[in-house]
Amino acid sequence: MSSSEQKREVGGREGEGSSSMTLTQSDHHHQLSPPPQLSRYESQKRRDWNTFGQYLKNHKPPVPLPQCNYNHVLDFLRYLDQFGKTKVHLNGCVFFGQVEQVGPCTCPLRQAWGSLDALIGRLRAAYEENGGLQETNPFANSAIRIYLREVRDSQAKARGIPYKKKKKKRKIQINSSNNNEVNST
C-alpha cells in the first residue's frame, strides 16, 4: 500500500468476517469533514423526534413506532407538563382570570400552549420524514387538535386573556379612475 493510501477495517478485526476497504487520502479527508450545519428548526425537530422515540421505548410496555397512535401522543403531551414553566391557575385560585399574579399560589406549572403547538408541528413533519404515511400520522389526528384547543382556551381563561384568532388583513384596492376625475362646475 502506498503512503497516500490508508487501509480501514469495517466491523471488527480483519479475518473475522469483516470487510475492509481502501481509501485514498482525499477520500479519507472527505469522510472526516463535519456534516452540514442544521438549522435551529431542524435541530429542534430532530431532538423532539428522538425524545418522543425515547418516550415510546420507556413506555410500559414499549411501543414500536408503527403501533403508535394519537393516544400515545396525548400521553406524551401530558407527560411533558411536569417540565412546564407556565403557571396555570386553577378555577378556585384567587388569581384565576387575573392577568398579573401578585402573590404566591400552589397552582401547577404546565407546558405553554404555544410550545405544545410548535412541538406537534415539528413532530408531525418528522413523522413523515422518517417514513410515516400522512394518512396514519398520529400527530395530525383531530384528537390532538382538540386537545391543543382545550389547552389554549383553559390557559387563556386562567390568565384572564381571551384568545382571539388573528384575522387576515384584507387589501383594499383603490380605483384609480375615480381619483383622477375632475369635478367641473
Side-chain angles (χ1 to χ4, degrees):
M1 183 178 342
S2 71
S3 62
S4 66
E5 293 180 340
Q6 293 180 337
K7 192 169 188 178
R8 181 174 172 224
E9 295 177 17
V10 179
R13 291 190 200 115
E14 197 169 356
E16 293 181 355
S18 65
S19 61
S20 63
M21 53 194 242
T22 304
L23 300 175
T24 63
Q25 196 105 27
S26 61
D27 289 338
H28 184 68
H29 181 326
H30 181 67
Q31 277 191 331
L32 294 179
S33 64
Q37 186 70 27
L38 294 176
S39 69
R40 183 174 179 223
Y41 171 80
E42 292 296 330
S43 297
Q44 187 66 50
K45 185 170 56 171
R46 179 181 288 176
R47 196 167 30 248
D48 293 339
W49 182 250
N50 291 338
T51 302
F52 182 69
Q54 194 62 46
Y55 172 80
L56 291 178
K57 285 179 188 171
N58 294 337
H59 196 272
K60 300 292 182 204
V63 179
L65 190 60
Q67 294 176 2
C68 170
N69 62 37
Y70 71 90
N71 286 315
H72 298 109
V73 176
L74 291 173
D75 290 343
F76 178 65
L77 294 177
R78 291 184 192 109
Y79 160 78
L80 290 177
D81 266 343
Q82 66 183 311
F83 307 110
K85 297 175 185 164
T86 301
K87 179 78 77 167
V88 179
H89 299 292
L90 301 175
N91 218 352
C93 179
V94 295
F95 301 115
F96 182 81
Q98 295 183 12
V99 179
E100 294 292 323
Q101 180 178 337
V102 197
C105 73
T106 59
C107 293
L109 293 173
R110 304 255 192 242
Q111 288 289 338
W113 164 76
S115 299
L116 293 176
D117 188 46
L119 170 69
I120 289 298
R122 290 188 300 268
L123 288 173
R124 186 176 180 171
Y127 179 83
E128 293 173 17
E129 288 173 9
N130 286 284
L133 298 175
Q134 184 177 3
E135 299 79 31
T136 61
N137 191 333
F139 303 100
N141 190 284
S142 62
I144 305 300
R145 287 192 301 274
I146 291 168
Y147 175 79
L148 289 174
R149 188 179 317 127
E150 289 171 356
V151 168
R152 179 194 69 199
D153 293 346
S154 68
Q155 288 185 4
K157 191 174 182 181
R159 292 177 52 218
I161 303 171
Y163 175 82
K164 294 179 182 172
K165 190 171 183 176
K166 294 178 183 176
K167 294 185 178 181
K168 294 180 181 176
K169 293 182 181 179
R170 294 172 56 183
K171 292 183 180 179
I172 301 172
Q173 286 186 334
I174 300 173
N175 191 346
S176 59
S177 63
N178 290 344
N179 294 340
N180 294 335
E181 289 181 6
V182 179
N183 290 337
S184 58
T185 22

